[in-house]
Amino acid sequence: MSQSNDFYWGTSVAAYQIEGAWQEDGKGLSIWDAFSNKKGNTYLNQTANVSCDFYHRYEADLDIMQSLGIRHFRFSLAWSRIMPQGTGHVNQKGIDFYNRLIDSCIKRGIEPWVTLYHWDLPHVLEQKGGWTNRHVVDWFKDYSEICLKHFGDRVKYWMILNEPMVFTGAGYFLGIHAPGKRWLKNFIPAMHHAALCQAEGARIVKHYQPQAQVGTTFSCSYVTPFSNSPRDVQAAQRVDALLNRLYIEPSLGMGYPVKDLPFLNRVEKYFRNGDEKLLSFEYDFIGIQNYTREVAKYSWWMPFVNADLVKAANRGIEPTLMGWEVYPECIYQMLHKFASYPGVKKIFVTENGAAFPDKVENNRVHDTKRTQYLKDHIAQVLRAREEGIRVDGYFVWTFMDNFEWAEGYRPRFGLVHIDFDTQQRIIKDSGYWYRDWISQQTTILNASLVQTVQK
Ligand code: FCB
């Protein structure tokens, strides 16, 4: 992979986690609205009905972003705001909101990076089976076309799905995320249809905007075996196939990793003629999203994968608020792993960050652990880049504290602290650190460009 001179420093957010205004201006309900508003599904039954109220406060939030010198902003579009019925009718007020948001970014010199789907399927579509229904491919194509027709003239970077492994795994196998469905009978069709939508959406972006850069994002974890025993080593291989290979391989034309995970054979039932080809697409880039590593152990009782993940706390390691180990080298390993696929042209780290307990003291948040986490992970990204891996950008998860899905408001990941009662914003020390880091990098980059010109 060859290097480019540019490196993009940004932050990522997702519509459902920050926008609020859950029933405003003609928006339809999404599966997350339905799920979180049903008792027993989230931490303390919290919802994102209001959350950061970004829908009303985006101008002020973009001012903060601009003041920190963050020039790349990855956000998602809420399908049910744009098409309340999931398909057909287009809600002009939803279109207007995203037009304002995109224009407000551009006005401030902030590049909008748009994700089409970050987990908030319109609820009406879920009532028809959601991701398990093959029709979702047509619904998603309609929605993608509407987005491209309205926003394609100004958005140069598109991502189709956010972490398909997580939303199908947690939402359709484990039932711990919306829509709360379980088992393989739901997971397998949801997986296949999500993989098809990914490539179909990408084709639509290119059809309407051939100049646009199109990618999609994958969650990933560096998986190591608990011991050197062959059983643990093989367990780690299976977990790796599930967590890291399941979506990228079909999208590169390699098919699902059936050899390592024979239960995936069941997908044949949902295959139609030509699907093999429909699944693949030549993406301009892929986004990898990495937070931690996983340690895998053989387990006879765990169905399908025969493996268990040994939690950080059970290994004597102090975890983050998500229960995750801090292991900076994981991102370096993942960059090497994903870059080693011949079809991967370019990588952006589209999410990385950490949740630690934050304290507001005299209007400041001294979040030294988060700053350290970011420094250490960025160092590993740059290490991979120096070794020739084509990684051209890094996005912190996340700009401001928000609704962390089933975990509610407890884990705070933001560079900006939010008081969810008053909506007051406070830039954390990590936010100021990121500002200084970006400005220093830009200076270095400019200096090296000058040198190149002078040569
Ligand atoms: C990722 C999600 C993102 C956020 C972070 C912590 O899996 O894409 O929305 O929840 O984890």
Side-chain angles (χ1 to χ4, degrees), residues 17-32:
Q17 293 179 277
I18 62 166
E19 284 180 3
W22 71 305
Q23 290 187 305
E24 214 164 308
D25 288 342
K27 176 180 168 294
L29 294 187
S30 77
I31 51 174
W32 267 98

Side-chain angles (χ1 to χ4, degrees), residues 254-381:
M254 301 163 68
Y256 295 106
V258 178
K259 229 174 102 213
D260 285 285
L261 300 171
F263 72 87
L264 291 176
N265 264 327
R266 301 177 194 210
V267 75
E268 277 166 24
K269 189 172 153 196
Y270 304 95
F271 250 80
R272 292 199 186 154
N273 265 347
D275 275 8
E276 197 87 30
K277 219 165 150 242
L278 281 185
L279 284 168
S280 70
F281 183 80
E282 223 184 281
Y283 293 94
D284 297 308
F285 68 90
I286 60 152
I288 67 162
Q289 316 202 147
N290 173 260
Y291 290 87
T292 190
R293 76 157 166 169
E294 299 293 354
V295 173
K297 197 178 179 189
Y298 173 80
S299 152
W300 65 268
W301 59 269
M302 191 62 94
F304 313 118
V305 282
N306 287 116
D308 217 356
L309 300 180
V310 189
K311 290 198 171 113
N314 296 338
R315 287 181 274 125
I317 291 166
E318 197 192 320
T320 67
L321 280 178
M322 296 295 283
W324 298 339
E325 175 181 4
V326 177
Y327 190 86
E329 203 195 313
C330 61
I331 204 162
Y332 166 85
Q333 295 289 351
M334 288 298 95
L335 283 166
H336 269 280
K337 184 180 179 73
F338 280 81
S340 71
Y341 287 106
V344 170
K345 299 181 191 162
K346 181 163 49 176
I347 303 176
F348 294 108
V349 174
T350 38
E351 284 184 22
N352 174 246
F356 293 110
D358 291 329
K359 246 197 344 233
V360 180
E361 294 163 309
N362 298 324
N363 252 356
R364 291 294 297 257
V365 179
H366 303 300
D367 55 338
T368 44
K369 284 189 179 169
R370 180 173 297 101
T371 305
Q372 195 57 50
Y373 180 101
L374 297 176
K375 281 183 187 171
D376 293 345
H377 285 73
I378 287 173
Q380 294 288 337
V381 172

